[in-house]
Amino acid sequence: MENSKFPLFPLLLIVFLITVLSAVLPEIKAQQDQDQAYVGVDIGTDVSNFLSPADLVAFLQLQKITHVRLYDADADILKALAKTKIRVIISVPNNQLLGIGSSNATAATWVGRNVAAYYPETLITAIAVGDEVLTTVPSSAPILMPAIESLYSALVAANLHTQIKISTPHAASVVLDPFPPSQAFFNQTLTQYILPLLQFLSRTKSPLMMNLYPYYVFMENKGVVPLDNSLFKPLTPSKEMVDPNTLLHYTNVLDAMIDSVYFSMKNLNITDVVVLVTESGWPSKGDSKEPYATMDNANTYNSNLIKHILDRSGTPLHPEITSSVYIYELFNEDLRSPPISEANWGLFYGNSTAVYLLHVSGSGTFLANDTTNQTYCIAMDGVDARTLQAALDWACGPGRANCTEVQPGEDCYQPNNVKNHASFAFDSYYQKEGRAAGSCDFKGVAMITTTDPSHGTCIFPGSQKISNRTREAVNATAASGAYTIKFMSFLGTRTSALDKGIRVFLRISFSLLLYSFLP
């Protein structure tokens, strides 16, 4: 009679395969995620009252930001980023190029102090050597490649050269005749520096870093480049830009700029280097000479940019390659010198409140807390108490905001100051009005934030916490068949005799009453 038992060897093989796959698949997925195009942010620090490193990292995590670029190698920020899984590009400032490019020992010391000391707890992914050196400090151009080679040698000595890439960001102006892209080429006076760099990038499988701003292309070519093309707005076929040599159709300026870089590299026989956009953005405010630097345009550009990159549709020339992009920048750098636009590129103010509300819902988790689904209205900093009090009185009176929770003894009474009470009342009105445009103004003393202002037991009206709590209470009441009892409206009527102790007693009694209805 044939043995009916399941053979032992196939069983062991299956167990072995399951074990191996369970270990390997997460690594494969992690590698795929790392290779996918992403959106990061540049972090400039010319900001009044800049967040502490710990608060900065907490804010990045709250906003689901996973890639950042620093313009130096700030030790405190790098320490705070440890074990967070946030990937960071660190930079060698232009004023340090000479020392590093002139001495291998200096380069090795720099890598030891700014890279090896933090990696791998802090996920340093690349070193940006200088910034727009060829166009802003041309006198340092001869030292650029020696600095890059010295740093690379130091990475090799530390056995970090396969994990950490080295490149240098360029201004878009290194490319001449960028449209049509097929006719673009690198400025020939810079070829002596660019060609060795590209050969190095090809050899080390590193990206070509480019700072690309459709805003400046539009401003310099008004009447030729339509605003809609610059802002990623949907276009009719007749408004698409067509390269007459390739017949490729361009629906936005950024893709055309990226492809002009690829064509420029191809002219130098380099075809295996990927473009990484280390800066791109749109200012939200400008002087009279920059009328298109508006919040609406900045919102439209950055929102559409995020969607475009996370759609991973590539460019017309390279639909298989989507360049990752770093948005310039995270915070408004209010300490920057004029023009006004220089201080207004940020997605957020220095206190971490949103400059405007990006429309990025449905585009993955990036900036998940900066969408119109989770916004609050609070009092602005620096407003005098009398003005705030007038706005608070209107909100709680004619505005019919629910100001119950800021009464003495209630959860949001403390801290007992007009700014705290006004913030709660403003948010109550804002949520009641369905977060409609203009409902968070109060004559200029209120602002929208994406950070939940709830604290302790004080839950603001727009908070997800109160939504969940309310939903649970509604479900429980519906399940019990209890009648709707307008008890809270009774508590909203304040008298001098109804002190805190009586209110607590009534709340407990009400809870017991609801409990008695439950099966």
Side-chain angles (χ1 to χ4, degrees), residues 54-212:
D55 288 342
L56 171 63
V57 171
F59 179 69
L60 293 172
Q61 292 175 312
L62 175 69
Q63 294 295 338
K64 306 294 190 296
I65 294 171
T66 57
H67 293 77
V68 298
R69 175 190 172 209
L70 305 180
Y71 287 90
D72 52 21
D74 186 279
D76 292 330
I77 294 177
L78 291 175
K79 287 177 186 175
L81 286 168
K83 300 179 181 178
T84 62
K85 297 184 179 179
I86 296 173
R87 290 173 162 79
V88 55
I89 295 176
I90 60 174
S91 302
V92 177
N94 288 344
N95 59 12
Q96 295 181 25
L97 288 177
L98 181 59
I100 290 174
S102 304
S103 166
N104 289 336
T106 302
T109 300
W110 195 95
V111 167
R113 181 184 300 124
N114 299 300
V115 181
Y118 305 104
Y119 190 88
E121 286 78 13
T122 299
L123 296 177
I124 299 169
T125 59
I127 301 171
V129 184
D131 187 41
E132 301 186 354
V133 175
L134 300 183
T135 49
T136 59
V137 280
S139 60
S140 295
I143 206 71
L144 181 59
M145 274 312 299
I148 289 174
E149 292 282 8
S150 294
L151 288 168
Y152 182 72
S153 297
L155 286 181
V156 171
N159 198 29
L160 295 173
H161 59 293
T162 58
Q163 299 97 315
I164 298 171
K165 304 301 182 182
I166 296 185
S167 188
T168 180
H170 297 288
S173 57
V174 299
V175 174
L176 301 182
D177 291 346
F179 197 85
S182 61
Q183 293 181 3
F185 58 95
F186 287 117
N187 185 332
Q188 293 178 350
T189 64
L190 302 176
T191 302
Q192 58 180 317
Y193 308 117
I194 291 178
L195 181 57
L197 170 66
L198 292 176
Q199 292 169 337
F200 169 85
L201 299 178
S202 175
R203 187 173 77 248
T204 60
K205 296 180 172 57
S206 301
L208 176 63
M209 296 177 171
M210 296 293 303
N211 298 339
L212 303 178

Side-chain angles (χ1 to χ4, degrees), residues 205-246:
K205 296 180 172 57
S206 301
L208 176 63
M209 296 177 171
M210 296 293 303
N211 298 339
L212 303 178
Y213 289 95
Y215 171 73
Y216 289 124
V217 173
F218 169 74
M219 290 296 291
E220 292 165 7
N221 298 277
K222 280 184 291 186
V224 178
V225 177
L227 181 62
D228 286 355
N229 298 56
S230 304
L231 296 174
F232 295 94
K233 287 189 174 181
L235 302 175
T236 60
S238 63
K239 290 187 177 181
E240 293 177 357
M241 301 175 288
V242 181
D243 187 323
N245 301 312
T246 62

Side-chain angles (χ1 to χ4, degrees), residues 472-486 510-519:
E472 290 168 5
V474 169
N475 291 341
T477 304
S480 68
Y483 292 103
T484 302
I485 302 173
K486 295 183 179 179
F510 178 60
S511 298
L512 291 173
L513 178 63
L514 276 180
Y515 183 78
S516 68
F517 281 105
L518 296 175

Side-chain angles (χ1 to χ4, degrees), residues 448-471:
I448 292 172
T449 178
T450 57
T451 303
D452 189 343
S454 302
H455 50 90
T457 57
C458 175
I459 309 300
F460 269 55
S463 175
Q464 191 68 32
K465 299 173 186 175
I466 200 168
S467 299
N468 292 337
R469 190 171 65 185
T470 303
R471 191 178 301 114

Side-chain angles (χ1 to χ4, degrees), residues 390-507:
L392 171 61
D393 292 342
W394 184 91
C396 295
R400 302 179 67 183
N402 183 356
C403 299
T404 299
E405 291 298 314
V406 294
Q407 298 298 323
E410 294 302 320
D411 288 340
C412 295
Y413 180 70
Q414 296 293 345
N416 179 19
N417 60 61
V418 67
K419 184 174 185 290
N420 177 64
H421 294 177
S423 290
F424 187 91
F426 292 172
D427 193 53
S428 174
Y429 178 81
Y430 175 65
Q431 304 299 334
K432 177 177 71 73
E433 296 297 310
R435 301 189 292 271
S439 61
C440 181
D441 181 43
F442 298 94
K443 294 188 176 179
V445 302
M447 66 181 183
I448 292 172
T449 178
T450 57
T451 303
D452 189 343
S454 302
H455 50 90
T457 57
C458 175
I459 309 300
F460 269 55
S463 175
Q464 191 68 32
K465 299 173 186 175
I466 200 168
S467 299
N468 292 337
R469 190 171 65 185
T470 303
R471 191 178 301 114
E472 290 168 5
V474 169
N475 291 341
T477 304
S480 68
Y483 292 103
T484 302
I485 302 173
K486 295 183 179 179
F487 185 78
M488 294 311 294
S489 62
F490 167 71
L491 285 183
T493 306
R494 301 298 178 195
T495 65
S496 58
L498 191 61
D499 62 16
K500 182 179 180 181
I502 296 175
R503 290 196 296 274
V504 171
F505 171 76
L506 288 173
R507 279 182 169 161

